[in-house]
């Protein structure tokens, strides 16, 4: 913590007046890694920088759906639309979202409108959820897979929930036995990202059904709801039909609540708008009062804040989604999605191919199939976790990602690659152990060759 205070010019005495949990979040953000000074140096030196930090499609030239852009322009330029809105979301957007995930097509079920809560991205939704669910005085716990997007660890830390990390199996999917053992009487929620970050691994419908079975059994055992939260932000990139956590919950007879999280940050390529939502499903007869209380509490939480998401953006999205019922618009949108998916896949695979040719790089065990071959099916999102063999470089004070960027800066390689140290996706107790990795946002395209060559030169330098 002292290091952070020094870096930020904060005196420890002054920090004592504040909520100490806030400072712990610095461990769980991609905006505070040790690589950033190298990026600043590279920018100042006018070097070609490969920004591989945040999973932002826009940075890599992948832009939003055109009709949505037009509606945004109209709505933001109409002064009458710039008014306060229902705190839980623009009612017509909530109505449309009650019918399903519009980007993947309607699903044939409808949620009550009050079960849809619009937020400032999934990030906002998770913050609200933790604020509503966690009673730190009770020692409440949350269950999070071991390799996980930083948000979940961060928000658990802020809310002071105890985190139980679940181990992954050899394919990078939550180990079901360990999941069962990790859910205790104190567990409030289980967070599952159905297609991952940083790993890119996708959970199958069967595994999700097994997870439902385990959570159901624990709810019966402890007689309280355990919120099963499914982050499906990358589902639009799945080659097969997207996994639908609510439909699966209906089919599998989910007892307690399932919450689906989605946002327009990835497939819609609009992360800067900060628009996402939770869809709360509860079909069982048990825990109806508890789920009603949760939904009401979310809405009361949002009321004093006057709503988290901008009104014009919500109206523009409503207009876009509403039109998808029209078959000509649906076709246009499906073309947009299919092209985007193919383009992302092409880029990720070509970067993966390039990395595989560099002798000395290693990939996590999850990327290998049964016959020890690297398996492209493990890469479903646009992230690649990769490391430099620990026979070439040991763990040190600075992350390998930072050492690589420093080397590239000082040795005039074609580019400077700014990656995220892999440990950032782990809880503190799992860091600084074993093989170190860094995570690439594998969306760079024209700069692919200079990026790969620059990584290669760093690895080469470690051999001599
Ligand atoms: C798994 C996952 N969930 C959520 C987010 C953030 O979503 P949003 O922009 O909607 O807050 C990210 C961002 O990279 C992510 O990887």
């Amino acid at each position: 913590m002292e290091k952070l205070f020094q870096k930020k010019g904060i005196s420890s005495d002054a920090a004592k007046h504040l909520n100490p949990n806030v400072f712990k979040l610095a461990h769980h953000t991609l905006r505070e890694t040790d690589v950033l000074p190298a990026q600043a140096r590279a920018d100042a030196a006018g070097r070609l920088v490969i920004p591989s930090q945040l999973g932002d499609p826009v940075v890599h030239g992948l832009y939003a759906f055109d009709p949505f852009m037009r509606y945004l322009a109209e709505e933001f330029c109409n002064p009458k639309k710039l008014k306060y809105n229902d705190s839980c979301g623009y009612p017509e957007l909530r109505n449309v979202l009650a019918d399903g995930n519009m980007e993947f097509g309607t699903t044939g079920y409808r949620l009550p409108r009050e079960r849809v809560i619009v937020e400032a991205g999934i990030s906002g939704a998770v913050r609200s959820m933790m604020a509503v669910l966690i009673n730190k005085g009770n020692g409440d716990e949350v269950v999070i897979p071991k390799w996980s997007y930083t948000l979940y660890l961060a928000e658990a830390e802020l809310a002071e929930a105890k985190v139980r990390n679940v181990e992954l199996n050899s394919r990078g999917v939550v180990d079901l036995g360990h999941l069962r053992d990790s859910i205790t009487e104190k567990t409030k929620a289980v967070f599952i990202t159905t297609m991952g970050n940083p790993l890119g691994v996708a959970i199958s419908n069967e595994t999700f059904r097994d997870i439902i079975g385990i959570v159901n059994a624990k709810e019966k055992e402890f007689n309280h709801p355990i919120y099963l939260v499914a982050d499906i932000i990358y589902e639009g990139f799945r080659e097969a039909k997207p996994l639908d956590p609510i439909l699966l919950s209906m089919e599998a007879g989910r007892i307690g609540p399932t919450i689906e999280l989605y946002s327009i940050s990835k497939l819609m390529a609009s992360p800067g708008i900060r628009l996402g939502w939770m869809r709360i499903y509860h079909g069982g007869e048990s825990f109806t009062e508890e789920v009603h209380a949760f939904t009401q509490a979310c809405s009361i939480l949002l009321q004093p804040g006057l709503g988290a998401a901008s009104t014009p953006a919500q109206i523009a999205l409503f207009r876009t989604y509403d039109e998808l019922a029209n078959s000509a618009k649906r076709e246009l949108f499906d073309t947009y999605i299919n092209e985007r998916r193919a383009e992302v896949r092409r880029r990720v695979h070509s970067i993966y191919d390039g990395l595989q040719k560099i002798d000395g790089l290693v990939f996590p065990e999850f990327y290998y199939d049964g016959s020890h071959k690297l398996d492209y099916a493990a890469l479903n999102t646009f992230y690649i976790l990769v490391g430099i063999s620990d026979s070439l470089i040991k763990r040190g004070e600075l992350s390998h990602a930072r050492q690589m960027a420093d080397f590239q800066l000082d040795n005039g390689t074609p580019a400077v690659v700014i990656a995220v140290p892999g440990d950032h996706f782990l809880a503190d107790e799992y860091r600084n152990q074993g093989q170190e990795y860094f995570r690439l946002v594998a969306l760079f395209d024209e700069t692919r060759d200079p990026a790969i060559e620059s990584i290669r030169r760093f690895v080469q330098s470690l051999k001599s």
Side-chain angles (χ1 to χ4, degrees), residues 30 54-56 119-126 148-152 193-198 231-234 261-266 270-272 274-277 382-383 425 439:
L30 307 186
L54 299 181
D56 185 341
E119 281 277 6
I122 288 184
S123 309
V126 173
S148 196
Y149 176 55
T150 52
L151 170 69
Y152 295 101
T193 299
T194 56
M195 304 226 327
N197 174 9
D231 177 335
I232 62 164
I233 195 166
Y234 298 108
L261 299 176
Y262 192 69
S263 95
I264 60 170
S265 295
K266 308 293 175 181
S270 310
R274 312 303 305 128
L275 193 51
W277 49 86
F382 37 72
Y383 304 109
F425 299 94
R439 191 209 68 178

Side-chain angles (χ1 to χ4, degrees), residues 41 57 137 142 165 170 201 215 232 241 255 285 302 308 331 392 401 421 431 433 460:
R41 222 160 44 95
V142 293
N165 276 119
S170 61
V201 167
V215 176
I232 62 164
K241 206 166 167 268
I255 296 175
E285 281 168 12
L302 288 169
E331 216 171 291
L392 294 176
R431 295 185 183 184
Q433 294 168 29
Q460 187 61 35

Side-chain angles (χ1 to χ4, degrees), residues 91 191 229 237 246 278 307 339:
F191 290 92
V229 184
F237 298 100
I246 295 185
M278 39 176 139
E339 284 175 0

